[in-house]
Every structure is written in structure tokens, then in C-alpha cells.
Amino acid sequence: MTPQEIIEKILISRGIRDFEQYFNPQPKYLEKSTNLVSIEQARLIAEKLKKSRLILLYSDYDVDGVTSSAVFSRFLNEAGIKNYKVVIPNRFKDGYGLNLEKIKEEFESNPFDMLITFDCGIGSVEEVDYLKRLGVFVVITDHHLPQKKIPSADVVINPKLSSTEEKGDYHLCGCGVVFKLIHVLKVLWRLDSIELKRYLEHVAIATVADIVPLIGDNRILVKNGLDVINENPSEGVKALINVSGLKAAVNSYHIGFMIGPRINASGRLDIADTSYYLLMQNSEDAAIKYARILEELNHARKKECDEIFEEALSLLPQSPRDGICLYKSSWNKGVIGIVASRLVERFNVPTIIFGTSVGREDDGGIISGSGRSTDDLNLHELLVEIDREYPGLMIKYGGHLKACGLSIYQEDFEAFVEAFTGILQELNIDSRKKIFYDMELNFTDVNFDLIDCIKKMEPFGYGNEMPKFLFKNVEVLDFRAMGDGNHYIINLKQNGRTLRGIWFNGDEQKITDKLNIIGVPIINEYNNNRYLQIRIRDII
């Protein structure tokens, strides 16, 4: 098979038939923005934006929410609308979503007559009812799965309500939803001078960081957003790249593991305003100042995550089977989601970790949980089932397929553990880590052209993973440990051809005379020479 035939076979197995759109993810292939934001909705919003005395922009405190606020703020500035105020709730004091006390506080200090949410609000029924009694025009922009009752907002924009899974815009993140909204507003207001492509850097960062599938519109938005980041980034993004120490071209990996965590750091340990101010900067010096603050917060975040992770491990059996649900009052609820992710990676079972504000605020006996799931369990549906079987046990909950957030009373923790593990026991989930690969290859198939074809599949991420291949009956010529001893260089031979394998975080006990390897062909450049290698993902 030729390299092109190999890649096309993989894409077909993933349900992709339109190779032209896949390999050329241009904006012209985006789903029509009016599929998500109707002209009628846009006219209502446009009219109110022009007439409002004060517009309150209320977002979530994570990357998706902060970038959404920045994108919409920048758009309003370019449209000549300055009578707005951005409110990003404090994770420790206000919690996720529209907070009633926060709304009251803002309204009493400076009454607003329009409120727009970003990346939140779809579950805020009571809060929206309160706003409507005040006479506030409410617009909800969100992408989370709706619950039974939809808030009585004047306009609700959410692809989970207006679109379907086969549509390109169904999996948009919150910032992607905002991008569609400003596109329709730009057309409605005939603002031809506004170049929307510049906003795509923030949309790309949000899309990757929020771990929504990189298919359909998301693939297009991220690909073109990365082009902006690498060619002409804003001062804020440029400063983030600098403090991250990035020298190479930025890709989706760098967003997910370097840029995104730094933006998130302020909301996890402090207030997310710092990240918002960074993204709004037009001054290089000011942007660097805020980026350095985020860098310090990110270091502190890493340290706190490591400490909680080690504590969590000490509380667990060697091989937990029926899910993980843990709580300590000393665990910072701002970082427990990261800890949950690491535990899922380690044990491959659904995990919910509970924490508190740790002295930052009085939680009033309420503890907050953050959950992550495996590939074969819908975590949001599990919470819906808990709510159905144990009504009132959770104060508030919401989330995605693989992630969730919730709050309960501390005194109900044991009851929640029982409900959570009980449902998982009924489902009898297999905790053995499943090893996926796209197709079987031989060493003779590995060449530079194949790697070039794989590169054309970028950007990689959830929903568009880098392809993995099975190489069977591979002979081990020799191997040696490198680094701290958990990484291995293995010289391999198959069908008369030798290649070097690199295995990070490997298991020496799996290295025998003959191997079946799951890996990815890569190029190693050294002393101006290029060598073909196999990055080993697992040995089976």
C-alpha cells in the first residue's frame, strides 16, 4: 500500500469520507453560522446591544470561558460598543455558572439591563428567572449538555439544542459558539473592516484546552487558529509562548499541555481576571507582566497537583475496580480535575475527586467535585442516573461525555460514594486499559512519505488522534535504558529491516525476544541527519 492509501484507509475506518475537506480544512467548509444563531436571534441581540445602558458579560473561569470573554470584548470594542463589564466568577467564592449572590451584588452596585453568558448558563434556571424579574435581557451562550428544564432566557444559543451530531458545529466549545455569534453580528451590522480570522487564535486555544472533538468545525477552527498563532499572534498569546519556552511552531500539543494550563492557572488558584487581562493586551510589556504572573501560578498549580495526587494514591487500593471517589477538606477544588485526569490515566476507571476552597472562602458545608471518565462511560449520563435514583443528593451538576462538575453537602459524601460506585458495579465496567490501533503495518511500509502523510492529518487531539500501528513478530536485537531508567531505546528487526524504537515510561518486563508493538513512525533529526524511528506506545 502507498502512504496515501494507508492514511485514506485509516480515515475511512474513522468515518471520514470527504478527504478534500479533511486535508484542506478551510473556513469555507464551516457549518453556516445561522445554523446555530438564527437571524431572528441575532437581530434581537444586536438591537439590545445598541440600546443597553450596561451589558454584563458573564463567563466561566476556565480557558474556554476566559477566551470567550476576550473574543466578545474585542469584537464589541471594534464595533464601537464600550458600555460593557466583564465578570468572571471566583471559583472559590461563586462557583461554576451563574451565581445568584454574584448577580445581586453586580446589579445593586451598577444595574445592568443586558446579560450574556459564555460557556455557562444552560443549567441556571433559577438565576435566569431572577434576572427576568429584574427586567434584564438575558442571552445564554453555552455548549454543555442541557438538563431537563431550559432557562427562560430571551435567547439561548447552544449547539446541543439547535444542531445534531452529524452537523459540523455540534461539538463546538463555548468560544466556538461565541465566534459563530460574532460572525452573524458582523454580517448583520455590515462591519466589513473587522477581520474575524484574528479571533481564531483564541478559538483554537479554547477548543483544544476544553477537549472537545477535533472534527467538523472544530478541526477547521483549530487548524486556521494555529496558523494565526504561528504567523501573527496577539501580544497576549505571544507572551504566553515566550514564558512557555516554546521555540518550535506551536501545535495542538503545545496548546493542550503548555499554553492552556497557564491560562487556566489563574482560575485554579486565584481569580481568572489575570488571564483575561493578558488576552486583552495590545502592549508587549503589559502582556509579558501578566504572562509572568501566570507562569508563577502555573508552577504553584503543578506543585499542588503533585501533592494531592500522591495523597490520593495513598488512599486507594492497588487496583481500584468500581471507580474512584475521594474527598479531603485540604484538597483545593481548583486543581482536583487535573488530579482526577491523572488517576483515570493510571487506573482507567471513572473518577470523581472532591475538594474545598481550602480557607479561601467559607464553603458553607458544600464540597465541589470534578470528574473524568474513560472512553466507554458517559460521565454526564451517569450523574443524570444518580439524580434520577437519588433526587436531591447533588446540589448542582453538569458536564460532558468525559468530564463533569458537581457540588454536594459534605455530610452526604458517603451517600454519594455509595450511589456512584453502586451504579458502576451494576454497569460492570472493564477497568483493563484498552489498546487501540488503526491498522497493522510492516517495517517495510515505514518511510518518510508515510510520516509526511501522517503530518497532514494534524491538528491532532481528542477525536482526531495521531494514528497508531501494530507491528507483529518484531525481533529485539538489543535494548538499553535511558534517562531515569523508565525510558528505553530498543533496536528492532522485522522482515529483514531494522528500526530503532523509543519507549517512554516503558515496562522492561514486557521486552522479550519477539514483540508485537503498537507505535507511531517518527523522524529523529540529529547532526543535520534524519532517521526513521518507531515511538512505541505499548507492547502487547
Side-chain angles (χ1 to χ4, degrees), residues 507-524:
D507 180 356
E508 185 174 341
Q509 293 182 348
K510 286 188 173 184
I511 304 175
T512 58
D513 293 340
K514 284 269 187 172
L515 305 174
N516 292 328
I517 289 171
I518 293 176
V520 181
I522 61 170
I523 297 172
N524 179 31

Side-chain angles (χ1 to χ4, degrees), residues 472-504:
K472 295 178 75 172
N473 299 317
V474 178
E475 180 184 351
V476 174
L477 300 177
D478 57 67
F479 73 93
R480 62 182 173 85
M482 62 176 182
D484 62 6
N486 292 326
H487 313 311
Y488 299 92
I489 294 174
I490 312 175
N491 290 313
L492 306 163
K493 185 176 182 179
Q494 185 202 50
N495 297 333
R497 187 179 185 194
T498 59
L499 287 173
R500 172 169 286 183
I502 305 295
W503 194 15
F504 295 106

Side-chain angles (χ1 to χ4, degrees), residues 237-254:
V237 173
K238 193 190 302 180
L240 279 174
I241 292 170
N242 289 336
V243 298
S244 300
L246 272 171
K247 304 298 181 186
V250 176
N251 59 32
S252 54
Y253 173 85
H254 300 132

Side-chain angles (χ1 to χ4, degrees), residues 425-442:
Q425 285 169 358
E426 290 175 13
L427 294 172
N428 193 28
I429 290 176
D430 187 354
S431 63
R432 290 175 299 181
K433 203 158 192 177
K434 295 171 180 61
I435 303 169
F436 297 103
Y437 62 90
D438 289 275
M439 63 184 294
E440 182 180 340
L441 286 186
N442 294 310

Side-chain angles (χ1 to χ4, degrees), residues 44-46 48-49 52 54-60 65 68-69 72-73 75-76 81 84-88 98 112-121 131 136-142 153 155 157 177-178 181-182 185 189:
L44 284 171
I45 295 169
K48 196 63 182 176
L49 284 170
S52 285
L54 178 63
I55 307 155
L56 199 73
L57 307 181
Y58 193 107
S59 78
D60 189 19
S68 295
S69 287
F72 203 77
S73 297
F75 175 75
L76 289 183
I81 298 173
Y84 67 87
K85 179 181 181 182
V86 173
V87 172
I88 303 175
L98 282 173
F112 51 90
D113 53 355
M114 184 178 191
L115 180 142
I116 307 176
T117 73
F118 303 125
D119 192 34
C120 63
L131 286 164
V136 176
F137 186 92
V138 180
V139 179
I140 290 175
T141 75
D142 202 348
V155 177
I157 302 171
V177 172
V178 171
L181 172 58
I182 65 172
L185 289 174
W189 283 335

Side-chain angles (χ1 to χ4, degrees), residues 63 209 254-266 268 294 298 301:
V63 175
H254 300 132
I255 291 176
F257 291 93
M258 301 177 80
I259 295 173
R262 285 166 170 81
I263 297 174
N264 256 335
S266 62
R268 292 191 184 281
L294 293 183
N298 194 48
R301 187 271 306 168

